[in-house]
């Protein structure tokens, strides 16, 4: 009996090995989809290939002149600075005082850590036109953690989802399943949630983000600016984009919004990373 | 030597694609790594296990470097290598049309596989945009494949004449 079994195993050895390997890869893939976690082997190899990618990025920068790009980048940052000032000025004084008092009362740690930005280059990116998954030249050695927030001069870019010693992998807001709480600029009671995971509203253009308003009667209008509201992972006031489309869903008493991000996700060179607020 | 060279060329293509080619602002772009794996699988004349190992490791590198989900490209490249191993001796590779047709079928399979993983894992775009994107992806890759197979055939003819 055992002899027969052994004979069969030897006979089907190759198929058994192939099935085991496929099962292991399938489990890794399902795990990665479900929990967005990478193995330590993957982290180590990510670090090695990050270094090689950095060399490739240097070659790219040498051959593709960056003078024009850096000029554009400076203008973009200036534009973003002005936009941020506008957002801050629009936030009503009373609201700010109330929020400060609330923070004190709840013993929140203030957002001082938001000032400790790490500036980094993008050294590699996914195939395709849009930046969905990309490698950044900053890792745990620079203080980057999983779920650190990635921004650039124009607004919210995404979040870090895999981090090694010297490099981190980030996913942009257009490929992000985790929700981003937002508010309409100037009306902080008009809030909602952006998430590409919403199956009810389908988008044809992959550069857009979908979401919904918490209040189905919200007076949200096309063209209004959307910023992070401060609930959840992202601190308040980071510009996200402009409302491009509003889809009322009377059946589910919901109001969907389609947002076009401020960040040009077809072209990003430098990003800033900071850690989420600790409570 | 040939095995090591095939692996090194794969790594160079991955690095070139991730750090230089993907940053060039034009769309749609051919997937050179996938094209390389398909051609390698169809024209591999060495040990079949080595082909599977090379394909698996290159897939793992793509997943680790810029992949969204760990295992997506490892699985895809392994499937392509196994398909290559199973059919490469049964097809007439001296004609252009046969390897071209099979490569195109593998390309369609890759597009469907990536769409399924992406829509299960992250976002489901509208049916129309998914279809259009996939058709464009397959067409552009098939064109590059046709050019590369023609070049290979040309080299084969010249090399064969000299022999």
């Amino acid at each position: 009996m055992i002899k027969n079994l052994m004979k069969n195993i030897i006979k089907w050895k190759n198929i058994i090995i192939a099935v085991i390997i496929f099962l292991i890869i399938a489990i890794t893939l399902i795990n990665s989809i479900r929990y967005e976690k990478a193995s330590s082997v993957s982290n180590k190899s990510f670090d090695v290939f990050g270094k090689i990618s950095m060399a490739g990025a240097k070659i790219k920068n040498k051959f593709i002149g960056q003078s024009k790009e850096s000029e554009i980048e400076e203008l973009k940052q200036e534009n973003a600075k002005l936009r941020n000032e506008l957002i801050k000025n629009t936030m009503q004084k009373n609201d700010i005082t109330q929020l400060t008092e609330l923070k004190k009362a709840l013993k929140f740690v203030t957002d001082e850590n938001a000032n400790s930005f790490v500036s980094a280059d993008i050294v590699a990116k996914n195939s395709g036109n849009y930046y969905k998954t990309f490698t950044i030249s900053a890792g745990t050695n620079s203080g980057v953690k999983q779920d650190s927030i990635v921004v650039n001069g124009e607004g919210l870019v995404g979040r870090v989802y895999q981090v090694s010693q010297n490099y981190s992998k980030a996913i942009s807001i257009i490929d992000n399943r985790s929700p981003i709480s937002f508010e309409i600029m100037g009306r902080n009671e008009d809030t909602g949630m952006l998430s590409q995971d919403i199956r009810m509203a389908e988008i044809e253009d992959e550069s857009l983000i979908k979401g919904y308003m918490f209040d189905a009667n919200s007076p949200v209008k096309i063209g209004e600016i959307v910023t992070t509201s401060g609930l959840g992972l992202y601190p308040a006031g980071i510009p996200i984009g402009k409302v491009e489309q509003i889809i009322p869903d009377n059946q589910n008493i919901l109001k969907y919004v389609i947002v076009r991000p401020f960040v040009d996700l077809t072209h990003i060179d430098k990003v800033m990373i900071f850690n989420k607020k600790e409570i | 030597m040939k095995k090591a060279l095939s692996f090194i060329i794969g790594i160079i293509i991955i690095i070139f694609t991730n750090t230089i080619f993907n940053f060039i602002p034009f769309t749609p772009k051919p997937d050179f790594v996938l094209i390389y794996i398909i051609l390698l699988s169809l024209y591999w004349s060495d040990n079949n296990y080595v082909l599977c190992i090379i394909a698996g490791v290159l897939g793992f590198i793509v997943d680790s470097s810029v992949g969204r989900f760990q295992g997506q490209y490892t699985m895809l490249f392994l499937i392509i290598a196994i398909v290559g191993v199973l059919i490469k001796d049964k097809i007439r590779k001296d004609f252009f049309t046969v390897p071209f047709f099979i490569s195109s079928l593998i390309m369609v399979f890759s597009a469907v596989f990536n769409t399924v993983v992406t829509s299960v894992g992250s976002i489901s775009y509208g049916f129309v945009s998914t279809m259009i994107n996939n058709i464009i992806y397959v067409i552009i890759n098939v064109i590059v494949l046709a050019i590369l197979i023609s070049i290979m055939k040309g080299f084969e003819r010249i090399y064969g004449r000299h022999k």
Side-chain angles (χ1 to χ4, degrees):
Chain A
M1 171 91 176
I2 295 168
K3 229 179 184 180
N4 270 344
L5 186 75
M6 288 306 285
K7 254 186 194 171
N8 277 332
I9 288 174
I10 291 164
K11 196 178 164 190
W12 298 100
K13 180 181 78 178
N14 292 347
I15 293 170
I16 293 168
I17 292 170
V19 169
I20 290 169
I21 290 170
F22 269 100
L23 271 177
I24 293 168
I25 299 168
I27 292 166
T28 314
L29 182 59
I30 293 165
N31 242 6
S32 174
I33 290 172
R34 200 174 261 189
Y35 305 109
E36 290 195 345
K37 289 236 158 112
S39 62
S40 56
V41 183
S42 167
N43 276 345
K44 285 259 167 12
S45 63
F46 174 55
D47 212 33
V48 172
F49 280 93
K51 273 174 198 156
I52 301 171
S53 299
M54 191 71 195
K58 275 180 188 162
I59 295 168
K60 179 195 82 181
N61 292 344
K62 214 172 183 180
F63 285 100
I64 306 166
Q66 291 228 315
S67 56
K68 216 173 184 181
E69 282 174 10
S70 59
E71 203 179 306
I72 295 168
E73 200 60 40
E74 271 173 30
L75 284 169
K76 275 180 183 173
Q77 286 196 349
E78 201 182 319
N79 181 30
K81 225 181 193 178
L82 291 168
R83 191 191 291 140
N84 280 339
E85 270 173 30
L86 178 74
I87 289 167
K88 271 181 193 166
N89 291 337
T90 320
M91 283 173 91
Q92 289 166 359
K93 254 188 178 176
N94 284 345
D95 290 345
I96 294 169
T97 324
Q98 269 178 25
L99 273 172
T100 321
E101 278 171 9
L102 260 172
K103 270 185 183 175
K104 272 182 197 166
L106 293 166
K107 290 183 182 168
F108 272 111
V109 175
T110 53
D111 281 349
E112 276 164 10
N113 55 349
N115 296 326
S116 52
F117 284 103
V118 177
S119 179
D121 291 308
I122 293 178
V123 293
K125 79 171 269 279
N126 64 300
S127 58
N129 203 21
Y130 296 102
Y131 282 65
K132 289 184 173 176
T133 325
F134 47 91
T135 306
I136 304 166
S137 62
T140 46
N141 285 351
S142 315
V144 179
K145 296 175 189 168
Q146 190 171 6
D147 284 337
S148 286
I149 295 144
V150 184
V151 294
N152 77 353
E154 296 168 301
L156 185 64
V157 177
R159 68 181 171 89
V160 170
Y161 100 114
Q162 187 183 346
V163 62
S164 70
Q165 263 189 325
N166 299 306
Y167 298 91
S168 44
K169 202 191 280 180
I171 42 173
S172 70
I173 43 176
I174 57 168
D175 198 25
N176 197 358
R177 274 192 301 162
S178 55
I180 306 165
S181 62
F182 72 88
E183 64 184 35
I184 303 296
M185 199 179 91
R187 295 200 308 274
N188 56 10
E189 70 287 349
D190 219 357
T191 54
M193 195 73 89
L194 291 174
S195 171
Q196 298 289 55
D197 209 20
I198 301 164
R199 303 264 161 182
M200 307 290 268
E202 272 188 346
I203 42 173
E204 295 291 343
D205 185 348
E206 50 182 324
S207 66
L208 302 172
I209 324 168
K210 50 191 174 180
Y212 60 88
M213 303 302 299
F214 289 139
D215 181 6
N217 299 317
S218 152
V220 59
K221 287 184 207 99
I222 289 172
E224 282 190 305
I225 292 176
V226 166
T227 64
T228 51
S229 71
L231 286 171
L233 186 69
Y234 304 92
I238 305 174
I240 302 173
K242 265 185 184 175
V243 177
E244 180 142 314
Q245 202 185 338
I246 300 161
I247 312 162
D249 179 2
N250 297 329
Q251 211 174 354
N252 297 306
I253 325 166
L254 275 171
K255 192 175 255 182
Y256 295 110
V257 284
I258 308 289
V259 173
R260 182 169 291 283
F262 283 131
V263 177
D264 176 13
L265 287 160
T266 58
H267 183 85
I268 313 169
D269 271 328
K270 282 193 187 296
V271 287
M272 289 176 286
I273 309 144
F274 63 96
N275 288 321
K276 61 179 178 178
K277 50 187 180 182
E278 309 265 339
I279 298 171
Chain B
M1 182 66 186
K2 196 180 153 194
K3 295 165 200 163
L5 195 68
S6 306
F7 180 63
I8 291 164
I9 290 172
I11 290 180
I12 291 170
I13 293 173
I14 292 172
I15 293 162
F16 166 77
T17 311
N18 290 351
T19 60
I20 300 170
F21 188 68
N22 286 346
F23 285 92
I24 300 171
F26 76 87
T27 188
K29 294 186 187 84
D31 192 339
F32 282 120
V33 188
L34 186 64
I35 291 169
Y36 177 70
I37 296 291
I38 292 174
L39 292 177
L40 199 67
S41 306
L42 288 181
Y43 290 95
W44 185 259
S45 53
D46 220 307
N47 190 327
N48 290 336
Y49 293 109
V50 177
L51 170 68
C52 292
I53 292 167
I54 289 175
V57 174
L58 290 178
F60 177 78
I61 291 168
V62 174
D63 283 329
S64 303
S65 50
V66 288
R68 176 74 166 89
F69 303 114
Q70 194 64 49
Q72 181 179 349
Y73 283 94
T74 315
M75 188 176 262
L76 178 64
F77 289 0
L78 258 178
I79 292 171
I80 293 171
I82 290 170
V83 169
V85 166
L86 293 175
I87 62 164
K88 68 181 166 140
D89 295 327
K90 291 171 189 148
I91 56 167
R92 294 287 304 270
K93 279 182 279 186
D94 42 344
F95 294 112
F96 168 81
T97 40
V98 181
F100 174 70
F101 177 69
I102 289 173
S103 308
S104 307
L105 280 183
I106 297 173
M107 204 53 87
V108 172
F109 168 77
S110 308
V112 174
F113 179 86
N114 284 334
T115 307
V116 170
V117 173
T118 313
S119 49
V120 169
S122 52
I123 311 143
S124 56
Y125 294 112
F127 179 75
V128 179
S129 88
T130 308
M131 277 296 283
I132 291 170
N133 285 343
N134 275 334
I135 289 168
I136 293 169
Y137 171 84
V138 170
I139 289 172
I140 194 85
N141 281 304
V142 161
I143 290 169
V144 176
L145 256 168
I147 295 166
L148 289 175
I149 292 173
S150 306
I151 292 170
M152 280 167 71
K153 288 266 157 272
F155 271 118
E156 231 173 58
R157 237 172 269 154
I158 295 164
Y159 180 71
R161 236 181 259 163
H162 281 287
K163 232 178 170 182

